Amino acid sequence: MNHQKFDSAASAGLQHMNVFSQDYLESLYRDFLQNPDQVPIEWQEFFRNQESIEFRSATAAQSTEPRELSASEMGIAQLQDRVDQLVRGFRVRGHLEANIDPLGMPRPGNRELNPDSYGLLPGDMQKKFSARTIYGDDYRTLEEIVDQLRHTYCRSIGAQFMHIDDHHVREWLQERMEGSRNRINLTRETQIRILNRLTDAVIFEEFVRKKYVGAKTFSLEGAETLIPLLDLAIEKASGDGLVEVVLGMAHRGRLNVLANIMNKRTENIFWTFDDPVTDSKRSGGDVLYHLGHSCNWTASDGSKIHLSLCFNPSHLEYVNTVALGRCRSKQDRINDDPRNKVMTILIHGDAAFAGEGIVQETLNLSQLDGYKAGGTLHLIVNNQVGFTTDANEGRSTTYCSDVAKMLQIPIFHVNGEDPEAVAQVVELSMEFRRTFQRDVVIDMYCYRRLGHNESDEPRFTQPVMYRTIDRLPTIRDSYLKRLLKMKEVTTEEAEVIAVKRREELDRDFESAQKSKYNSDEQSLGGYWHGYVGGREPDELTPTGVPVGKLSFAVQRLCSVPPNFNVNPKLKRVLENRAEMGQGKRPFDWATAELAAMATLALEGHSVRLSGQDSGRGTFSQRHAILHDTESGKRYISLENISDDQARIEIINSPLCESGVLGFEYGYSLDHPESLVCWEAQFGDFWNVAQVIVDQFISSAEEKWRRLSGLTLLLPHGFEGAGPEHCSARVERFLTLAAEDNIQVVNPTTAAQYFHLLRRQVLRKWRKPLICLTPKSLLREPLVNSVQAELVDGYFQKVLPDPRIELRRSADRVVLCSGKVAIDLLKRREQTSQPVALIRVEQLYPLPEKEIAELLDQYPSDIPVYWLQEEPRNMGAWHFMKVRLSDEFQARWPLKAICRRESASPATGSKSMHKIEQEELIEAALDVGQRVSVKSR
């Protein structure tokens, strides 16, 4: 009888305790007839005593109806049920008794693992029971069953997998763990390989600590098994046919990984320790334990696999989704839609995995269509302490990995001092990831031999832990002792391995003292060839589209499949868009955006837009994803412009910002030729992702020489919707702006937006783009652009006042940006005030030259004002005062027209907002009246 059949029988009979499945009885009886000795003795006695016509006829008829049990049957059924409960107890709770802590701290244990907890007595241990749910013989003694379960679940590996709902997945894991007793049989070659890797790891740490006394390295000592773990995982990945692995990790052990996994020249690592001053280091750069690297790994079978270790700042876990985005991007580049050619390995710390919310966001992305990457291998280097914080102070859960139970994945806790147990979980984890394309977690229990860094004294705060640690040999020595005992290696062989490694490090150290830095960092080659960073180029990039191509693209945007039921309200939207494509109606903002994306795709540039509700658009403006009113089926016209177009993805993201923005940033790192956008539901929502902006987007080029063309779309504008839904906090981006590191743009026409998106892709200068997008202006006629403005031209950093006559008659010039410019323009047309209006569309890099050229067309003594909606201490006012040159301000001393300074971006009262906005516009039209708007 198969396992599924047994489970149903148990469910029908054993759980009720007063009935027993006839199907199960029949199976046991047939086994008894074929070979009585294989059936438990209690059942043998029972069947030999069954001479009644009722039993035989019932069996012969193969009745599936349960029947009442006799007293004899009841006793047997109860014992079997207790055994089955014990088996489940080991699968669910066995990890609580597993010997996973190399420090030997007491484990919690659980009574559910004791037979007597189920009423099973010592006398029952030699009785045979059905073991059909366990790998092996169908009938075994209770002692044999318990022995197999203890060896599987209570040695150096603790497995958590019974939270997985899919019984097929659970059975897959049970079969592989119980069939091997959770132990792998390693060849001598693999054992020597592990010894080599442990030797590399241990000697590297010892060497660095000796040569660079007191230097911060965030040592891997106590967790050196990470190196053979990664080695085995990458070997397995290569054997599975993967061609690339993206790695993300914090600083703990990074130097060791760089040297012993990423093949970074140790000579260059040592040179960086010496920290010589060079012209290239006068600004920028990063500490050596934040640096990334790429290399080609040669597997034992001769195959090649490319490794990319992401650069990472000190916000430990925020690299997670960056690495995932890079992985997905690499998969898309090679059309790896099955997601089986590139994978991600993330290396975590225990305190960070439990403590940082970005981990939950990372896990949540793993099975979403827009973000899945075929399953991630999560490796937790569990030092059992976070800086100086004990586990019971840093988390409310039993394990640091418990957040991962939100997924339908296994979590393996393993003793890092048992490298062969580590080898088993690596093999099993990689097989699971490949089979089910899901994440898997290895929680490697180890310790931190030194403090948080090399100058830290851990005995101040963990004296008892460090008394134990001080007595422990290195993992290399303990594993060597095991191999010597097994006679798998000799002392002489082990010494040769160690001497060779020390000699290599000595040579590289001496070379580093004598030579200059010989960079092995990857330059902008491959698909980054031809792209540049640095200062913004002066040349203009034509971004117009021939009228035929534009009309064709828009026509396709408005087409739907036959029999597709469009929402009646959207039929008019599509009809209007079709007229825009024909030149009969001006382009609105949303149509210009979709046209930019469609034409880029026709030119071979892929497009990816993700964000909360981006398919429809927060303000019901985009409608890039249509839904059939009858079936709910989705249709994305952008994906159906042409048979030979590039990939376009429009993705509704989960309700998170940090994780998704990090993912899209990572995606952009491996797709420089594409338009990659992240859209905030409201502009200020990027606040939640400020770590990604501060430590990756704004500074990666300066720190790591890494470019990105990521675009952030941030709805911005004061509409009376309260403080949280008005401001994209442009002042924060402008504070981060330096050395042309980012672009901050606030376009005010559909054509400007169209050209801006195309410029972001078509010019070879690659910088993140911060684009403030409108809300109420989405349907404002003054924002719309005629077809000719999209066909010809380019993005203009500054828009002149269309009323040329004001160059002679204006009594003041107002500089402004964004929605307030349209508000002022509308009011001016109503009042005919002689106020010239210059729109600064690009705030950074600040186009001072272009602004000055326009101001030169007005009288030299004309007053110039900066108008903004934001309070005085926010917005672009202080940026303009600081960034405009002394020469500029000597000619045109700026004054501000804005709301008074405030701790909050805006009032929560819609009526007060209207009053403030009215005062603001009045002040701009009649500056003599007031230049500072009072509010609230």
mmCIF file of all heavy atoms in Angstrom, residues 69-76:
data_model
loop_
_atom_site.group_PDB
_atom_site.id
_atom_site.type_symbol
_atom_site.label_atom_id
_atom_site.label_comp_id
_atom_site.label_asym_id
_atom_site.label_seq_id
_atom_site.Cartn_x
_atom_site.Cartn_y
_atom_site.Cartn_z
ATOM 1 N N LEU A 69 -14.481 -1.784 15.912
ATOM 2 C CA LEU A 69 -13.388 -2.689 16.241
ATOM 3 C C LEU A 69 -13.722 -3.495 17.490
ATOM 4 O O LEU A 69 -14.374 -3.008 18.411
ATOM 5 C CB LEU A 69 -12.105 -1.904 16.488
ATOM 6 C CG LEU A 69 -11.544 -1.121 15.289
ATOM 7 C CD1 LEU A 69 -10.313 -0.359 15.738
ATOM 8 C CD2 LEU A 69 -11.215 -2.052 14.157
ATOM 9 N N SER A 70 -13.217 -4.701 17.482
ATOM 10 C CA SER A 70 -13.280 -5.492 18.704
ATOM 11 C C SER A 70 -12.255 -4.950 19.691
ATOM 12 O O SER A 70 -11.425 -4.101 19.360
ATOM 13 C CB SER A 70 -12.965 -6.962 18.382
ATOM 14 O OG SER A 70 -11.616 -7.079 17.964
ATOM 15 N N ALA A 71 -12.281 -5.432 20.909
ATOM 16 C CA ALA A 71 -11.319 -4.996 21.928
ATOM 17 C C ALA A 71 -9.893 -5.287 21.497
ATOM 18 O O ALA A 71 -8.983 -4.477 21.686
ATOM 19 C CB ALA A 71 -11.631 -5.683 23.256
ATOM 20 N N SER A 72 -9.681 -6.455 20.875
ATOM 21 C CA SER A 72 -8.340 -6.825 20.413
ATOM 22 C C SER A 72 -7.867 -5.870 19.323
ATOM 23 O O SER A 72 -6.733 -5.393 19.331
ATOM 24 C CB SER A 72 -8.338 -8.260 19.896
ATOM 25 O OG SER A 72 -7.085 -8.590 19.333
ATOM 26 N N GLU A 73 -8.774 -5.611 18.364
ATOM 27 C CA GLU A 73 -8.424 -4.693 17.289
ATOM 28 C C GLU A 73 -8.167 -3.296 17.825
ATOM 29 O O GLU A 73 -7.251 -2.591 17.374
ATOM 30 C CB GLU A 73 -9.558 -4.646 16.275
ATOM 31 C CG GLU A 73 -9.749 -5.921 15.490
ATOM 32 C CD GLU A 73 -10.996 -5.861 14.641
ATOM 33 O OE1 GLU A 73 -12.032 -5.374 15.141
ATOM 34 O OE2 GLU A 73 -10.932 -6.301 13.494
ATOM 35 N N MET A 74 -8.976 -2.876 18.796
ATOM 36 C CA MET A 74 -8.820 -1.548 19.365
ATOM 37 C C MET A 74 -7.440 -1.361 19.964
ATOM 38 O O MET A 74 -6.775 -0.348 19.755
ATOM 39 C CB MET A 74 -9.887 -1.306 20.446
ATOM 40 C CG MET A 74 -9.747 0.030 21.144
ATOM 41 S SD MET A 74 -10.265 1.406 20.126
ATOM 42 C CE MET A 74 -12.006 1.403 20.529
ATOM 43 N N GLY A 75 -6.936 -2.322 20.650
ATOM 44 C CA GLY A 75 -5.616 -2.225 21.268
ATOM 45 C C GLY A 75 -4.522 -2.069 20.233
ATOM 46 O O GLY A 75 -3.609 -1.249 20.388
ATOM 47 N N ILE A 76 -4.597 -2.862 19.174
ATOM 48 C CA ILE A 76 -3.598 -2.766 18.107
ATOM 49 C C ILE A 76 -3.681 -1.404 17.428
ATOM 50 O O ILE A 76 -2.668 -0.756 17.169
ATOM 51 C CB ILE A 76 -3.817 -3.892 17.089
ATOM 52 C CG1 ILE A 76 -3.656 -5.252 17.761
ATOM 53 C CG2 ILE A 76 -2.846 -3.752 15.920
ATOM 54 C CD1 ILE A 76 -4.112 -6.405 16.894
#
